[in-house]
């Protein structure tokens, strides 16, 4: 029996206990041994839970129990979650997590401790929820030099954008729906302002390129600047608006990583990615584009990824999986201002004022306000022109 302790009995923690319990036979077959939950650690009381016998409040119970070989951290954040992860690894226990903030900000240190202690620190669920994406990058695609990774990494914001454009729902109402379904972060500002996507981009870029970029160095813009007018204008021009995270490695080895709303071509796979679904494209130099699609948030999909990691650990108790990256500073990062793309712009200014500043502007017929598409520009060139116009909205176009 491989004994597991689950830290945090929230959306993901509950899902993990549920999956381990309800799929126990199948899991035992895949893992080669039975997997059981010995403890659930949470400071709250759950008197009505069918798992209440497993609940303990003190993490030391887990830390001091040599029978617990795997700790599942689903607390979230970088406070207690960091402390308990570190203590678990130092106690010689394997750790699995869905906590993208912790992996993106402290992953380098925690992976080093895991290596020193000869245990595993795995985090498939931290990116893409139920979509297998990190293991495919580190295993199935490892013969490739990865050139670019981009996609929709946040279920909450994609759910909001989809509902606003398809049923004209208000931002506040849809956010409440996403929260009720367990998609949103404890503080949904992390979703709305793009921080959750930023952390996921930091993790996926680190595994794709072998270099970890601190989330603070990733330019991040969320969805609060997208209006219903922009969505309608985009559709008139043959596009939809999606919040994308993107990381590219240039010929000089520097990485451009950023998060921002983009116009994507109607009819492309990514434009048809709606609701809580995520879609992530990985461009390898041998494969070309490979796309991963599926539920990016939610209790059971995320639990599926967590339990997949536990099963993987069952086969790596003696010889750990060596995953990791180099920590790199600002010199390895190319500013997003240098990246050339087309742009969608909306302004209250007239067409003549637009033509004077953007001679190559292509106007969107029937648009609200004046809306137009530019040729390729980098942000450093276009920003002063947008300020002069002035622009009400400006988003990149994914080529
Ligand atoms: N809040 C996140 C999302 C949860 O909506 O995608 C999954 O990481």
């Amino acid at each position: 029996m491989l004994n597991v302790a689950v830290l945090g009995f929230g959306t993901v923690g509950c899902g993990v206990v549920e999956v381990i319990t309800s799929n126990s036979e199948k899991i035992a077959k895949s893992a080669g041994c039975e997997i059981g939950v010995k403890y659930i650690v949470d400071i709250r009381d759950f008197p009505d839970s069918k798992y209440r016998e497993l609940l303990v409040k003190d993490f030391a119970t887990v830390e001091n129990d040599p029978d617990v070989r795997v700790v599942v951290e689903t607390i979230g954040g970088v406070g207690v979650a960091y402390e308990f992860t570190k203590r678990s690894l130092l106690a010689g226990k394997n750790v699995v997590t869905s906590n993208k903030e912790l992996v993106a900000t402290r992953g380098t240190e925690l992976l080093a401790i895991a290596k020193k202690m000869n245990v595993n620190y795995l985090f498939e669920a931290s990116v893409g929820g139920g979509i297998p994406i990190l293991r495919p990058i580190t295993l199935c695609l490892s013969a490739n030099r990865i050139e670019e990774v981009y996609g929709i990494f946040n279920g909450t914001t994609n759910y909001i954008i989809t509902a606003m454009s398809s049923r004209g729902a208000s931002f506040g109402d849809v956010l409440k729906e996403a929260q009720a379904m367990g998609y949103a972060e404890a503080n949904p500002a992390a979703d709305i302002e793009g921080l959750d996507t930023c952390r996921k981009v930091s993790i996926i870029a680190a595994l794709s390129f072998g270099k970890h970029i601190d989330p603070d160095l990733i330019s991040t813009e969320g969805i609060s600047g997208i209006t219903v007018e922009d969505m309608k204008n985009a559709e008139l021009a043959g596009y939809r608006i999606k919040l994308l995270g993107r990381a590219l490695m240039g010929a000089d080895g520097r990485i451009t990583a950023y998060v921002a709303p983009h116009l994507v071509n109607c009819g492309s796979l990514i434009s048809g990615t709606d609701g809580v679904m995520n879609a992530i494209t990985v461009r390898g130099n041998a494969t070309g584009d490979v796309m991963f699609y599926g539920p990016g948030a939610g209790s059971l999909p995320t639990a599926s990824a967590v339990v997949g990691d536990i099963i993987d650990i069952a086969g790596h108790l003696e010889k750990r999986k060596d995953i990791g990256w180099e920590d790199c500073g600002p010199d390895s990062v190319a500013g997003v201002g240098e990246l050339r793309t087309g742009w969608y712009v909306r302004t209250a200014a007239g067409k003549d004022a637009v033509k004077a500043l953007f001679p190559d502007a292509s106007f969107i017929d029937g648009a609200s306000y004046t809306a137009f598409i530019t040729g390729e520009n980098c942000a450093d060139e276009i920003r002063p022109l947008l300020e002069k116009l002035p622009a009400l909205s400006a988003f990149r176009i994914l080529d």
Side-chain angles (χ1 to χ4, degrees):
M1 167 75 82
L2 181 63
N3 281 310
V4 172
V6 177
L7 312 185
F9 201 40
T11 304
V12 180
C14 285
V16 170
V17 179
E18 198 57 47
V19 169
I20 290 179
T21 310
S22 55
N23 290 355
S24 58
E25 266 181 47
K26 166 64 180 56
I27 290 169
K29 232 178 224 165
S30 302
C33 65
E34 281 181 25
I35 292 179
V37 178
K38 184 161 184 186
Y39 305 108
I40 301 166
V41 181
D42 202 299
I43 51 170
R44 297 168 293 180
D45 290 314
F46 296 88
D48 300 328
S49 168
K50 60 180 170 183
Y51 302 111
R52 60 185 173 278
E53 303 295 323
L54 303 177
L55 276 149
V56 295
K57 288 194 194 305
D58 188 358
F59 168 70
T61 310
V62 170
E63 190 179 25
N64 297 327
D65 185 340
D67 281 351
V68 174
R69 303 289 305 274
V70 183
V71 172
V72 173
E73 184 273 299
T74 61
I75 301 168
V78 291
V80 172
Y82 169 67
E83 185 199 327
F84 290 177
T85 300
K86 200 166 163 179
R87 282 168 59 182
S88 299
L89 294 170
L90 288 169
K93 300 180 191 306
N94 300 275
V95 177
V96 173
T97 189
S98 56
N99 185 340
K100 49 263 156 150
E101 184 177 4
L102 187 59
V103 178
T105 57
R106 304 293 185 95
T108 310
E109 179 196 351
L110 294 169
L111 283 165
I113 297 172
K115 187 170 190 170
K116 192 175 124 207
M117 298 305 299
N118 194 30
V119 290
N120 298 279
Y121 182 48
L122 300 184
F123 39 86
E124 178 63 60
S126 67
V127 180
I131 308 173
I133 178 67
L134 301 184
R135 193 167 280 102
I137 285 177
T138 52
L139 273 181
C140 320
L141 294 170
S142 58
N144 287 258
R145 185 167 48 76
I146 309 266
E147 295 168 348
E148 178 171 349
V149 190
Y150 71 87
I152 297 170
F153 289 92
N154 184 269
T156 301
T157 47
N158 202 45
Y159 184 88
I160 292 173
I161 292 174
T162 305
M164 282 172 72
S165 74
S166 64
R167 45 183 166 106
S170 81
F171 185 95
D173 286 350
V174 197
L175 172 59
K176 277 188 203 137
E177 286 173 26
Q179 285 175 302
M181 282 186 278
Y183 300 156
E185 295 302 296
N187 176 2
D191 298 297
I192 309 304
E193 289 165 10
L195 292 174
D196 180 75
T197 299
C198 164
R199 292 163 185 154
K200 291 166 176 168
V201 167
S202 167
I203 297 169
I204 203 168
L207 290 175
S208 299
F209 307 128
K211 291 184 178 184
H212 172 255
I213 304 172
D214 192 279
D216 286 344
L217 297 174
I218 298 178
S219 160
T220 300
E221 187 184 332
I223 61 166
S224 50
I226 306 172
T227 65
V228 174
E229 283 93 353
D230 292 318
M231 291 177 176
K232 286 185 181 152
N233 291 346
E235 287 194 17
L236 286 170
Y239 296 98
R240 294 184 75 197
I241 302 181
K242 293 290 182 188
L243 181 68
L244 300 187
R246 206 172 170 199
L248 315 83
M249 181 174 262
D252 61 0
R254 288 187 310 153
I255 299 161
T256 304
Y258 68 103
V259 179
H262 283 69
L263 271 67
V264 298
N265 267 308
C266 277
S268 62
L269 291 172
I270 203 155
S271 82
T273 301
D274 284 337
V276 72
M277 294 299 173
N278 285 190
I280 303 162
T281 297
V282 181
R283 183 169 301 152
N285 69 337
T287 55
D289 286 0
V290 180
M291 192 170 187
F292 299 82
Y293 171 90
S299 178
L300 294 180
T302 311
S304 156
V306 169
V307 179
D309 275 350
I310 301 173
I311 293 170
D312 202 2
I313 283 174
H316 290 89
L317 288 169
E318 306 310 324
K319 188 176 181 326
R320 67 182 290 276
K321 292 177 68 128
D322 195 13
I323 55 165
W325 49 64
E326 251 177 57
D327 220 356
C328 67
D331 290 351
S332 296
V333 182
V336 65
E338 297 171 33
L339 184 71
R340 298 184 77 79
T341 59
W343 293 76
Y344 154 86
V345 182
R346 180 170 64 92
T347 177
K351 286 189 177 177
D352 288 343
V354 171
K355 279 184 203 154
L357 291 167
F358 296 92
D360 65 350
S362 161
F363 291 96
I364 302 175
D365 291 336
S368 301
Y369 298 82
T370 306
F372 62 96
I373 306 286
T374 73
E376 288 206 345
N377 285 281
C378 67
D380 290 345
E381 283 164 4
I382 203 172
R383 290 277 174 225
L385 304 178
L386 296 174
E387 276 168 30
K388 203 163 177 190
L389 199 53
L392 296 168
S393 328
F395 303 124
R396 289 180 186 274
I397 299 173
L398 186 75
D399 40 32

